Structures are given as C-alpha cells and as structure tokens.
Amino acid sequence: MKQTIIAPVFLALAALAATTARADQLADIQANNKLVCGTLGTSQPFSFQDASTRTLVGYDVDVCKLVADKLGVPVEYKLLSVAARVPELNEGRVDILAANLGYSPERAEQIAFSHAYYVSPQKLLVRKDAGLDTIAQVDGRRVGATKGSSSEREIKRILAKSNVIGYADSSAAYLALQQKKVDAQFASELVLARLMLQSPPTAPVSIIKEPVFMEYWGLGMRKDETAFIAKVNGILDEAEKDGAAAALFDKWFGAQTPYKLERGFTIAPIAE
C-alpha cells in the first residue's frame, strides 16, 4: 500500500525538479556565457550570408545580438530549416528563435512568443501575364509557399479552394512560379519585394496590393522559461523606447535600402 502511494509522489517531485531546472534557463545562459540563437540564414534581409564578408547578417541576426548584448553574453547562431525551428528549440539545442516566426494559436501551444518585434503583411505574388489582380481570383488555383511555415498553413485555411504546394524555401517557390508550376506565391510582403528585385525583365511579376492577413513575428522561447521570457520582453520594450528597435528596422528595411519600407508598428505584446 505504501509503495502505491510513494511512487506517484516521487514521480511528481522528480518532474517538478526537472521543470524547475529547465525553467532557470536565464541562469544557464549566464553560466554558459553564450546565447544560442536559431535562425534561418537563407532569408534576406532577416538572416543571410553577406557576399563580401561571408558573415551572417540581417535584421533577425541583429535582434538576437541586441538581446545577447543586454544579457552580457556573446551570441552564437545556429542555422535551421523552417521545419526544424520548433523541434530544435523544444529539444534545447537553441535558446531562442529569431527565424521568421509568425504567431499562430496552434504554434503558441508549442512555444512561447516574445512581444512582436516585426509585423508582416502577407501577400500574393503573381506573374504579370496571368491576369490575376485580386485575392479572390487566386482562390482555387495553385499556390506555392514555404513548406512548414505559417504562410503555408494559413493560406491553406484562407484560400480553401486552392491547391497549396510546399517548397523548401521562398526561392524554390519563386522558381516554381516562374516555371508556371504554380499560379501564385504566398509569403511576407518583404520576401516578395526581394524576389521582385531579382525578377528578369522577360518574366515580370507583381504583388497583389491587398494583404491576405497581417502576421505578427515574435522571438521563440520554451514555454516554461518564465524568467527568460520576461527578460527578453523587457529588452525588446527598452529597445522600442530608446529608439534602438526603430534604428534596426531602418537599417534593413528603410529609405536607404532597396525595400524603402516605413515602420508601421511598434513592439508590443501579441494579441492572442
């Protein structure tokens, strides 16, 4: 009888101890003297290899460095595929994700999101010769998206009549569009603007003006890391107040860049 009672109690205490140990990740980062940041490395201008220096650069890269600097530790980057982002985080192989991570209720059940450090209009890219000018005209056609991304999941839900085809990355989806394997490509406005800059004159493309929806991007963290989550959100809020966040946006997306975007958001909690 005693064994029947003690075993569950022992297991519960062991589980609590393990949770407490994992939840003190902020102390672990300080002890290890590094912040391991998972990022894509293939998504210009968020995280990509600079052609001249061969170093990893971009908006996501700089946001992770900002967090690491405020924590007083160096940052170490780990390149991940889109599909590997959440598993790598939850398995403890990275401390934080800065990897084009769009918020969704389903994803929020798996990981914690920081305050939104980027807000992305999600749009459709089409060939100019296709005669597609509205979202409604695209519904029911073939649409390319990055496999495993929130874009792929959401476009399946919103354009329910369409045949959504997943590709390894945005460049592969764009090639499929040019080869007429799909009729439209769905991604963030910025990704599509970058692809338009690369579009050959013989195969012009255009972005349908109306956004399909607005996507809020957060830094990804494990759900039980309450102290770490609070610290990261405090760092982001401070960056918003002192202008560091706006300066990073202007550096990568502003008037002096090819994209010439205006910052239409401020860092704030993501509404669930």
Side-chain angles (χ1 to χ4, degrees), residues 188-252:
S188 71
E189 179 183 43
L190 186 68
V191 167
L192 298 181
R194 174 175 57 80
L195 292 170
M196 282 188 67
L197 293 173
Q198 303 170 5
S199 180
T202 54
V205 292
S206 62
I207 297 173
I208 293 178
K209 185 175 181 180
E210 180 187 2
V212 178
F213 70 96
M214 303 296 287
E215 184 176 67
Y216 296 83
W217 292 14
L219 301 174
M221 293 164 283
R222 289 189 287 278
K223 290 177 74 69
D224 58 2
E225 296 162 4
T226 53
F228 184 48
I229 294 165
K231 184 68 174 179
V232 169
N233 282 332
I235 291 169
L236 292 177
D237 290 343
E238 180 184 351
E240 182 62 40
K241 290 176 183 176
D242 66 18
L248 285 183
F249 182 93
D250 288 341
K251 173 183 176 180
W252 293 106

Short mmCIF file of all heavy atoms in Angstrom, two decimals, residues 188-252:
data_model
loop_
_atom_site.label_atom_id
_atom_site.label_comp_id
_atom_site.label_asym_id
_atom_site.label_seq_id
_atom_site.Cartn_x
_atom_site.Cartn_y
_atom_site.Cartn_z
N SER A 188 5.56 36.76 -47.03
CA SER A 188 5.51 38.12 -46.49
C SER A 188 5.79 39.13 -47.60
O SER A 188 6.46 38.83 -48.60
CB SER A 188 6.54 38.28 -45.38
OG SER A 188 7.85 38.29 -45.92
N GLU A 189 5.28 40.34 -47.43
CA GLU A 189 5.47 41.40 -48.42
C GLU A 189 6.96 41.62 -48.69
O GLU A 189 7.37 41.83 -49.83
CB GLU A 189 4.82 42.69 -47.92
CG GLU A 189 4.98 43.87 -48.87
CD GLU A 189 4.39 45.13 -48.30
OE1 GLU A 189 4.59 45.41 -47.09
OE2 GLU A 189 3.72 45.86 -49.05
N LEU A 190 7.76 41.59 -47.64
CA LEU A 190 9.18 41.86 -47.80
C LEU A 190 9.87 40.78 -48.61
O LEU A 190 10.69 41.07 -49.49
CB LEU A 190 9.85 42.00 -46.44
CG LEU A 190 11.31 42.43 -46.51
CD1 LEU A 190 11.43 43.85 -47.01
CD2 LEU A 190 11.98 42.29 -45.17
N VAL A 191 9.56 39.53 -48.33
CA VAL A 191 10.14 38.42 -49.10
C VAL A 191 9.77 38.56 -50.57
O VAL A 191 10.61 38.39 -51.47
CB VAL A 191 9.66 37.07 -48.54
CG1 VAL A 191 9.99 35.93 -49.52
CG2 VAL A 191 10.31 36.79 -47.19
N LEU A 192 8.52 38.89 -50.83
CA LEU A 192 8.07 39.04 -52.22
C LEU A 192 8.72 40.25 -52.89
O LEU A 192 9.07 40.20 -54.08
CB LEU A 192 6.55 39.17 -52.26
CG LEU A 192 5.78 37.95 -51.73
CD1 LEU A 192 4.27 38.18 -51.85
CD2 LEU A 192 6.18 36.67 -52.44
N ALA A 193 8.92 41.35 -52.13
CA ALA A 193 9.59 42.53 -52.69
C ALA A 193 11.03 42.19 -53.06
O ALA A 193 11.54 42.63 -54.11
CB ALA A 193 9.55 43.66 -51.68
N ARG A 194 11.69 41.39 -52.23
CA ARG A 194 13.06 40.96 -52.54
C ARG A 194 13.10 40.12 -53.81
O ARG A 194 13.98 40.29 -54.66
CB ARG A 194 13.63 40.17 -51.36
CG ARG A 194 15.00 39.56 -51.63
CD ARG A 194 15.56 38.89 -50.40
NE ARG A 194 14.69 37.86 -49.86
CZ ARG A 194 14.60 36.62 -50.35
NH1 ARG A 194 15.31 36.27 -51.41
NH2 ARG A 194 13.80 35.74 -49.80
N LEU A 195 12.13 39.23 -53.96
CA LEU A 195 12.08 38.39 -55.16
C LEU A 195 11.80 39.21 -56.41
O LEU A 195 12.33 38.92 -57.49
CB LEU A 195 11.02 37.30 -54.98
CG LEU A 195 11.33 36.23 -53.92
CD1 LEU A 195 10.12 35.36 -53.65
CD2 LEU A 195 12.53 35.38 -54.34
N MET A 196 10.98 40.25 -56.26
CA MET A 196 10.69 41.13 -57.40
C MET A 196 11.95 41.82 -57.90
O MET A 196 12.12 42.04 -59.10
CB MET A 196 9.64 42.17 -57.02
CG MET A 196 8.22 41.64 -57.00
SD MET A 196 7.00 42.96 -56.76
CE MET A 196 7.19 43.88 -58.30
N LEU A 197 12.85 42.19 -56.97
CA LEU A 197 14.10 42.84 -57.35
C LEU A 197 14.96 41.92 -58.21
O LEU A 197 15.78 42.38 -59.01
CB LEU A 197 14.88 43.25 -56.11
CG LEU A 197 14.26 44.36 -55.25
CD1 LEU A 197 15.06 44.55 -53.97
CD2 LEU A 197 14.19 45.66 -56.04
N GLN A 198 14.78 40.60 -58.05
CA GLN A 198 15.56 39.62 -58.80
C GLN A 198 14.86 39.16 -60.08
O GLN A 198 15.42 38.39 -60.85
CB GLN A 198 15.82 38.39 -57.91
CG GLN A 198 16.52 38.71 -56.60
CD GLN A 198 16.53 37.52 -55.65
OE1 GLN A 198 16.09 36.43 -55.99
NE2 GLN A 198 17.03 37.74 -54.44
N SER A 199 13.66 39.64 -60.29
CA SER A 199 12.86 39.16 -61.41
C SER A 199 13.43 39.64 -62.75
O SER A 199 13.68 40.84 -62.92
CB SER A 199 11.41 39.66 -61.27
OG SER A 199 10.62 39.20 -62.34
N PRO A 200 13.64 38.74 -63.70
CA PRO A 200 14.16 39.15 -65.01
C PRO A 200 13.11 39.95 -65.79
O PRO A 200 11.90 39.72 -65.64
CB PRO A 200 14.46 37.83 -65.70
CG PRO A 200 13.56 36.84 -65.04
CD PRO A 200 13.42 37.28 -63.61
N PRO A 201 13.55 40.92 -66.61
CA PRO A 201 12.60 41.73 -67.39
C PRO A 201 11.70 40.89 -68.30
O PRO A 201 10.58 41.30 -68.62
CB PRO A 201 13.51 42.64 -68.21
CG PRO A 201 14.82 42.65 -67.49
CD PRO A 201 14.94 41.31 -66.84
N THR A 202 12.17 39.73 -68.68
CA THR A 202 11.39 38.88 -69.59
C THR A 202 10.28 38.12 -68.87
O THR A 202 9.43 37.53 -69.51
CB THR A 202 12.32 37.86 -70.27
OG1 THR A 202 13.06 37.14 -69.27
CG2 THR A 202 13.31 38.57 -71.20
N ALA A 203 10.32 38.12 -67.54
CA ALA A 203 9.30 37.39 -66.77
C ALA A 203 8.86 38.24 -65.57
O ALA A 203 9.11 37.89 -64.42
CB ALA A 203 9.84 36.05 -66.31
N PRO A 204 8.21 39.38 -65.85
CA PRO A 204 7.84 40.30 -64.77
C PRO A 204 6.77 39.73 -63.85
O PRO A 204 5.91 38.95 -64.27
CB PRO A 204 7.31 41.53 -65.52
CG PRO A 204 6.84 41.00 -66.84
CD PRO A 204 7.77 39.87 -67.16
N VAL A 205 6.85 40.10 -62.59
CA VAL A 205 5.88 39.67 -61.58
C VAL A 205 5.36 40.90 -60.85
O VAL A 205 5.94 41.99 -60.91
CB VAL A 205 6.51 38.68 -60.57
CG1 VAL A 205 6.85 37.37 -61.24
CG2 VAL A 205 7.74 39.30 -59.91
N SER A 206 4.25 40.74 -60.15
CA SER A 206 3.68 41.84 -59.37
C SER A 206 3.05 41.28 -58.10
O SER A 206 2.65 40.12 -58.04
CB SER A 206 2.64 42.61 -60.19
OG SER A 206 1.56 41.77 -60.53
N ILE A 207 2.96 42.15 -57.10
CA ILE A 207 2.35 41.78 -55.82
C ILE A 207 0.91 42.29 -55.80
O ILE A 207 0.66 43.46 -56.09
CB ILE A 207 3.14 42.39 -54.65
CG1 ILE A 207 4.56 41.83 -54.63
CG2 ILE A 207 2.45 42.08 -53.32
CD1 ILE A 207 5.46 42.50 -53.59
N ILE A 208 -0.02 41.41 -55.49
CA ILE A 208 -1.41 41.84 -55.32
C ILE A 208 -1.46 42.75 -54.09
O ILE A 208 -0.99 42.39 -53.01
CB ILE A 208 -2.34 40.63 -55.16
CG1 ILE A 208 -2.38 39.85 -56.48
CG2 ILE A 208 -3.75 41.07 -54.75
CD1 ILE A 208 -3.23 38.59 -56.44
N LYS A 209 -1.99 43.95 -54.27
CA LYS A 209 -1.89 45.00 -53.25
C LYS A 209 -2.53 44.63 -51.92
O LYS A 209 -1.98 44.87 -50.85
CB LYS A 209 -2.52 46.29 -53.79
CG LYS A 209 -2.35 47.48 -52.86
CD LYS A 209 -2.89 48.75 -53.49
CE LYS A 209 -2.69 49.94 -52.57
NZ LYS A 209 -3.21 51.20 -53.17
N GLU A 210 -3.70 44.04 -51.96
CA GLU A 210 -4.43 43.72 -50.73
C GLU A 210 -3.74 42.61 -49.95
O GLU A 210 -3.46 41.54 -50.49
CB GLU A 210 -5.86 43.28 -51.09
CG GLU A 210 -6.70 42.92 -49.88
CD GLU A 210 -8.04 42.32 -50.28
OE1 GLU A 210 -8.28 42.14 -51.50
OE2 GLU A 210 -8.83 42.01 -49.37
N PRO A 211 -3.41 42.82 -48.67
CA PRO A 211 -2.82 41.74 -47.88
C PRO A 211 -3.84 40.65 -47.56
O PRO A 211 -5.01 40.95 -47.33
CB PRO A 211 -2.34 42.45 -46.61
CG PRO A 211 -3.19 43.66 -46.49
CD PRO A 211 -3.54 44.07 -47.89
N VAL A 212 -3.40 39.41 -47.58
CA VAL A 212 -4.28 38.31 -47.18
C VAL A 212 -4.53 38.39 -45.68
O VAL A 212 -5.65 38.21 -45.21
CB VAL A 212 -3.67 36.95 -47.58
CG1 VAL A 212 -4.56 35.81 -47.13
CG2 VAL A 212 -3.45 36.89 -49.09
N PHE A 213 -3.49 38.69 -44.91
CA PHE A 213 -3.62 38.94 -43.48
C PHE A 213 -2.32 39.55 -42.97
O PHE A 213 -1.31 39.59 -43.68
CB PHE A 213 -3.98 37.67 -42.69
CG PHE A 213 -2.88 36.65 -42.60
CD1 PHE A 213 -2.04 36.60 -41.48
CD2 PHE A 213 -2.67 35.73 -43.61
CE1 PHE A 213 -1.03 35.66 -41.39
CE2 PHE A 213 -1.66 34.78 -43.52
CZ PHE A 213 -0.84 34.75 -42.42
N MET A 214 -2.33 40.04 -41.73
CA MET A 214 -1.14 40.60 -41.09
C MET A 214 -0.59 39.53 -40.14
O MET A 214 -1.32 38.94 -39.36
CB MET A 214 -1.47 41.86 -40.31
CG MET A 214 -2.12 42.96 -41.15
SD MET A 214 -1.03 43.58 -42.45
CE MET A 214 0.13 44.53 -41.46
N GLU A 215 0.71 39.31 -40.22
CA GLU A 215 1.35 38.31 -39.38
C GLU A 215 2.28 38.98 -38.38
O GLU A 215 3.09 39.84 -38.74
CB GLU A 215 2.15 37.32 -40.23
CG GLU A 215 2.75 36.19 -39.42
CD GLU A 215 3.45 35.16 -40.30
OE1 GLU A 215 4.48 35.51 -40.91
OE2 GLU A 215 2.97 34.02 -40.38
N TYR A 216 2.18 38.58 -37.12
CA TYR A 216 2.99 39.14 -36.05
C TYR A 216 4.11 38.16 -35.72
O TYR A 216 3.86 36.99 -35.42
CB TYR A 216 2.12 39.40 -34.82
CG TYR A 216 1.07 40.45 -35.09
CD1 TYR A 216 -0.14 40.11 -35.70
CD2 TYR A 216 1.30 41.78 -34.78
CE1 TYR A 216 -1.10 41.08 -35.98
CE2 TYR A 216 0.34 42.76 -35.05
CZ TYR A 216 -0.85 42.40 -35.66
OH TYR A 216 -1.79 43.35 -35.95
N TRP A 217 5.34 38.64 -35.80
CA TRP A 217 6.51 37.81 -35.57
C TRP A 217 7.04 38.03 -34.16
O TRP A 217 7.19 39.17 -33.71
CB TRP A 217 7.62 38.13 -36.55
CG TRP A 217 7.34 37.75 -37.97
CD1 TRP A 217 6.13 37.39 -38.51
CD2 TRP A 217 8.27 37.71 -39.04
NE1 TRP A 217 6.26 37.13 -39.85
CE2 TRP A 217 7.57 37.33 -40.21
CE3 TRP A 217 9.62 37.98 -39.14
CZ2 TRP A 217 8.18 37.19 -41.44
CZ3 TRP A 217 10.24 37.86 -40.38
CH2 TRP A 217 9.53 37.45 -41.52
N GLY A 218 7.34 36.94 -33.46
CA GLY A 218 7.96 37.03 -32.15
C GLY A 218 9.21 36.17 -32.08
O GLY A 218 9.41 35.28 -32.90
N LEU A 219 10.04 36.45 -31.11
CA LEU A 219 11.15 35.56 -30.80
C LEU A 219 10.59 34.33 -30.10
O LEU A 219 9.74 34.46 -29.22
CB LEU A 219 12.17 36.26 -29.91
CG LEU A 219 12.79 37.54 -30.48
CD1 LEU A 219 13.67 38.22 -29.44
CD2 LEU A 219 13.58 37.24 -31.75
N GLY A 220 11.03 33.17 -30.47
CA GLY A 220 10.51 31.93 -29.90
C GLY A 220 11.33 31.47 -28.70
O GLY A 220 12.57 31.49 -28.74
N MET A 221 10.63 31.07 -27.64
CA MET A 221 11.29 30.54 -26.44
C MET A 221 10.47 29.38 -25.90
O MET A 221 9.31 29.23 -26.23
CB MET A 221 11.41 31.65 -25.38
CG MET A 221 12.34 32.77 -25.78
SD MET A 221 12.14 34.27 -24.78
CE MET A 221 10.65 34.95 -25.50
N ARG A 222 11.09 28.56 -25.05
CA ARG A 222 10.35 27.45 -24.47
C ARG A 222 9.36 27.98 -23.44
O ARG A 222 9.64 28.94 -22.72
CB ARG A 222 11.32 26.44 -23.85
CG ARG A 222 12.10 25.66 -24.91
CD ARG A 222 12.89 24.52 -24.32
NE ARG A 222 14.04 24.98 -23.58
CZ ARG A 222 15.21 25.31 -24.13
NH1 ARG A 222 15.36 25.25 -25.45
NH2 ARG A 222 16.22 25.70 -23.38
N LYS A 223 8.21 27.33 -23.36
CA LYS A 223 7.09 27.86 -22.60
C LYS A 223 7.36 27.95 -21.10
O LYS A 223 6.78 28.78 -20.41
CB LYS A 223 5.83 27.02 -22.86
CG LYS A 223 5.27 27.20 -24.26
CD LYS A 223 4.09 26.30 -24.50
CE LYS A 223 2.85 26.78 -23.77
NZ LYS A 223 2.32 28.03 -24.34
N ASP A 224 8.22 27.08 -20.56
CA ASP A 224 8.44 27.07 -19.12
C ASP A 224 9.55 28.02 -18.66
O ASP A 224 9.88 28.07 -17.48
CB ASP A 224 8.73 25.65 -18.63
CG ASP A 224 9.93 25.02 -19.31
OD1 ASP A 224 10.58 25.69 -20.13
OD2 ASP A 224 10.23 23.84 -19.02
N GLU A 225 10.12 28.76 -19.58
CA GLU A 225 11.22 29.66 -19.24
C GLU A 225 10.69 31.05 -18.85
O GLU A 225 10.97 32.05 -19.50
CB GLU A 225 12.19 29.79 -20.42
CG GLU A 225 12.87 28.48 -20.77
CD GLU A 225 13.47 28.50 -22.16
OE1 GLU A 225 13.42 29.55 -22.81
OE2 GLU A 225 13.97 27.45 -22.59
N THR A 226 9.95 31.12 -17.77
CA THR A 226 9.25 32.36 -17.42
C THR A 226 10.20 33.53 -17.16
O THR A 226 9.93 34.66 -17.59
CB THR A 226 8.36 32.12 -16.20
OG1 THR A 226 9.14 31.55 -15.14
CG2 THR A 226 7.22 31.16 -16.54
N ALA A 227 11.29 33.28 -16.47
CA ALA A 227 12.24 34.37 -16.18
C ALA A 227 12.89 34.86 -17.46
O ALA A 227 13.05 36.08 -17.67
CB ALA A 227 13.29 33.89 -15.19
N PHE A 228 13.26 33.94 -18.34
CA PHE A 228 13.90 34.30 -19.60
C PHE A 228 12.93 35.06 -20.50
O PHE A 228 13.29 36.08 -21.12
CB PHE A 228 14.40 33.03 -20.29
CG PHE A 228 15.17 33.27 -21.56
CD1 PHE A 228 16.18 34.21 -21.62
CD2 PHE A 228 14.88 32.53 -22.70
CE1 PHE A 228 16.90 34.42 -22.79
CE2 PHE A 228 15.59 32.73 -23.87
CZ PHE A 228 16.60 33.68 -23.91
N ILE A 229 11.69 34.60 -20.58
CA ILE A 229 10.68 35.27 -21.40
C ILE A 229 10.48 36.71 -20.93
O ILE A 229 10.46 37.65 -21.73
CB ILE A 229 9.34 34.50 -21.35
CG1 ILE A 229 9.49 33.14 -22.01
CG2 ILE A 229 8.22 35.30 -22.01
CD1 ILE A 229 8.36 32.17 -21.70
N ALA A 230 10.36 36.90 -19.62
CA ALA A 230 10.16 38.24 -19.06
C ALA A 230 11.37 39.14 -19.35
O ALA A 230 11.21 40.33 -19.69
CB ALA A 230 9.92 38.16 -17.56
N LYS A 231 12.56 38.58 -19.25
CA LYS A 231 13.78 39.35 -19.52
C LYS A 231 13.85 39.79 -20.98
O LYS A 231 14.16 40.96 -21.28
CB LYS A 231 15.00 38.51 -19.16
CG LYS A 231 16.33 39.24 -19.31
CD LYS A 231 16.47 40.35 -18.29
CE LYS A 231 17.86 40.98 -18.35
NZ LYS A 231 18.00 42.09 -17.37
N VAL A 232 13.56 38.87 -21.89
CA VAL A 232 13.61 39.19 -23.32
C VAL A 232 12.58 40.25 -23.66
O VAL A 232 12.87 41.22 -24.40
CB VAL A 232 13.40 37.92 -24.17
CG1 VAL A 232 13.17 38.27 -25.64
CG2 VAL A 232 14.60 36.98 -24.03
N ASN A 233 11.36 40.12 -23.14
CA ASN A 233 10.34 41.13 -23.41
C ASN A 233 10.75 42.50 -22.87
O ASN A 233 10.50 43.54 -23.50
CB ASN A 233 9.00 40.70 -22.82
CG ASN A 233 8.30 39.66 -23.66
OD1 ASN A 233 8.49 39.60 -24.88
ND2 ASN A 233 7.50 38.82 -23.04
N GLY A 234 11.39 42.51 -21.71
CA GLY A 234 11.88 43.77 -21.16
C GLY A 234 12.93 44.41 -22.05
O GLY A 234 12.95 45.64 -22.24
N ILE A 235 13.81 43.58 -22.62
CA ILE A 235 14.85 44.09 -23.53
C ILE A 235 14.22 44.69 -24.78
O ILE A 235 14.61 45.76 -25.25
CB ILE A 235 15.83 42.96 -23.88
CG1 ILE A 235 16.67 42.58 -22.65
CG2 ILE A 235 16.73 43.36 -25.05
CD1 ILE A 235 17.49 41.32 -22.82
N LEU A 236 13.23 43.99 -25.35
CA LEU A 236 12.55 44.50 -26.55
C LEU A 236 11.80 45.79 -26.25
O LEU A 236 11.83 46.74 -27.06
CB LEU A 236 11.59 43.43 -27.09
CG LEU A 236 12.22 42.16 -27.66
CD1 LEU A 236 11.14 41.18 -28.07
CD2 LEU A 236 13.13 42.48 -28.84
N ASP A 237 11.12 45.86 -25.11
CA ASP A 237 10.40 47.08 -24.74
C ASP A 237 11.36 48.26 -24.59
O ASP A 237 11.07 49.39 -25.01
CB ASP A 237 9.62 46.87 -23.45
CG ASP A 237 8.44 45.93 -23.62
OD1 ASP A 237 8.02 45.70 -24.77
OD2 ASP A 237 7.93 45.42 -22.60
N GLU A 238 12.50 48.00 -23.98
CA GLU A 238 13.51 49.05 -23.82
C GLU A 238 14.02 49.52 -25.17
O GLU A 238 14.22 50.72 -25.39
CB GLU A 238 14.68 48.52 -22.98
CG GLU A 238 15.78 49.54 -22.74
CD GLU A 238 16.97 48.96 -21.99
OE1 GLU A 238 16.88 47.81 -21.51
OE2 GLU A 238 18.00 49.66 -21.90
N ALA A 239 14.24 48.58 -26.11
CA ALA A 239 14.71 48.93 -27.45
C ALA A 239 13.69 49.78 -28.19
O ALA A 239 14.05 50.65 -28.99
CB ALA A 239 15.02 47.66 -28.24
N GLU A 240 12.41 49.53 -27.94
CA GLU A 240 11.36 50.36 -28.55
C GLU A 240 11.40 51.78 -27.98
O GLU A 240 11.32 52.77 -28.73
CB GLU A 240 9.99 49.74 -28.29
CG GLU A 240 8.82 50.49 -28.91
CD GLU A 240 8.89 50.54 -30.43
OE1 GLU A 240 9.26 49.54 -31.06
OE2 GLU A 240 8.59 51.62 -30.99
N LYS A 241 11.59 51.89 -26.68
CA LYS A 241 11.57 53.21 -26.03
C LYS A 241 12.79 54.05 -26.38
O LYS A 241 12.68 55.27 -26.56
CB LYS A 241 11.48 53.03 -24.50
CG LYS A 241 10.14 52.49 -24.03
CD LYS A 241 10.15 52.25 -22.52
CE LYS A 241 8.84 51.64 -22.06
NZ LYS A 241 8.85 51.31 -20.61
N ASP A 242 13.97 53.41 -26.46
CA ASP A 242 15.18 54.21 -26.69
C ASP A 242 15.53 54.38 -28.16
O ASP A 242 16.55 55.00 -28.50
CB ASP A 242 16.37 53.63 -25.92
CG ASP A 242 16.82 52.24 -26.39
OD1 ASP A 242 16.47 51.84 -27.52
OD2 ASP A 242 17.53 51.56 -25.63
N GLY A 243 14.70 53.83 -29.06
CA GLY A 243 14.91 54.03 -30.49
C GLY A 243 15.78 52.98 -31.16
O GLY A 243 15.93 53.00 -32.39
N ALA A 244 16.33 52.04 -30.39
CA ALA A 244 17.20 51.02 -30.99
C ALA A 244 16.43 50.13 -31.96
O ALA A 244 16.95 49.74 -33.01
CB ALA A 244 17.85 50.17 -29.90
N ALA A 245 15.18 49.80 -31.63
CA ALA A 245 14.37 48.94 -32.49
C ALA A 245 14.07 49.63 -33.82
O ALA A 245 14.16 49.01 -34.89
CB ALA A 245 13.08 48.55 -31.79
N ALA A 246 13.70 50.90 -33.76
CA ALA A 246 13.42 51.65 -34.99
C ALA A 246 14.67 51.78 -35.85
O ALA A 246 14.60 51.71 -37.08
CB ALA A 246 12.86 53.03 -34.64
N ALA A 247 15.83 51.96 -35.20
CA ALA A 247 17.08 52.08 -35.95
C ALA A 247 17.40 50.78 -36.69
O ALA A 247 17.87 50.81 -37.83
CB ALA A 247 18.21 52.45 -34.99
N LEU A 248 17.15 49.63 -36.04
CA LEU A 248 17.39 48.35 -36.71
C LEU A 248 16.45 48.17 -37.90
O LEU A 248 16.86 47.67 -38.96
CB LEU A 248 17.22 47.19 -35.73
CG LEU A 248 18.34 46.97 -34.72
CD1 LEU A 248 18.05 45.74 -33.86
CD2 LEU A 248 19.68 46.80 -35.43
N PHE A 249 15.19 48.58 -37.73
CA PHE A 249 14.25 48.48 -38.85
C PHE A 249 14.74 49.33 -40.03
O PHE A 249 14.77 48.87 -41.18
CB PHE A 249 12.85 48.94 -38.42
CG PHE A 249 11.82 48.83 -39.51
CD1 PHE A 249 11.04 47.69 -39.64
CD2 PHE A 249 11.64 49.86 -40.43
CE1 PHE A 249 10.11 47.57 -40.65
CE2 PHE A 249 10.70 49.75 -41.45
CZ PHE A 249 9.93 48.61 -41.56
N ASP A 250 15.12 50.57 -39.75
CA ASP A 250 15.57 51.47 -40.82
C ASP A 250 16.84 50.94 -41.49
O ASP A 250 17.02 51.09 -42.70
CB ASP A 250 15.83 52.87 -40.26
CG ASP A 250 14.55 53.60 -39.90
OD1 ASP A 250 13.48 53.20 -40.41
OD2 ASP A 250 14.62 54.57 -39.11
N LYS A 251 17.70 50.31 -40.71
CA LYS A 251 18.95 49.76 -41.26
C LYS A 251 18.67 48.72 -42.34
O LYS A 251 19.36 48.70 -43.38
CB LYS A 251 19.77 49.15 -40.12
CG LYS A 251 21.02 48.40 -40.59
CD LYS A 251 21.74 47.76 -39.40
CE LYS A 251 22.94 46.93 -39.86
NZ LYS A 251 23.64 46.28 -38.70
N TRP A 252 17.66 47.88 -42.12
CA TRP A 252 17.43 46.75 -43.02
C TRP A 252 16.27 46.95 -43.98
O TRP A 252 16.22 46.31 -45.04
CB TRP A 252 17.21 45.47 -42.21
CG TRP A 252 18.46 45.07 -41.50
CD1 TRP A 252 18.73 45.17 -40.17
CD2 TRP A 252 19.64 44.54 -42.10
NE1 TRP A 252 20.00 44.74 -39.89
CE2 TRP A 252 20.59 44.33 -41.07
CE3 TRP A 252 20.00 44.21 -43.41
CZ2 TRP A 252 21.86 43.82 -41.30
CZ3 TRP A 252 21.26 43.69 -43.65
CH2 TRP A 252 22.17 43.50 -42.61
#
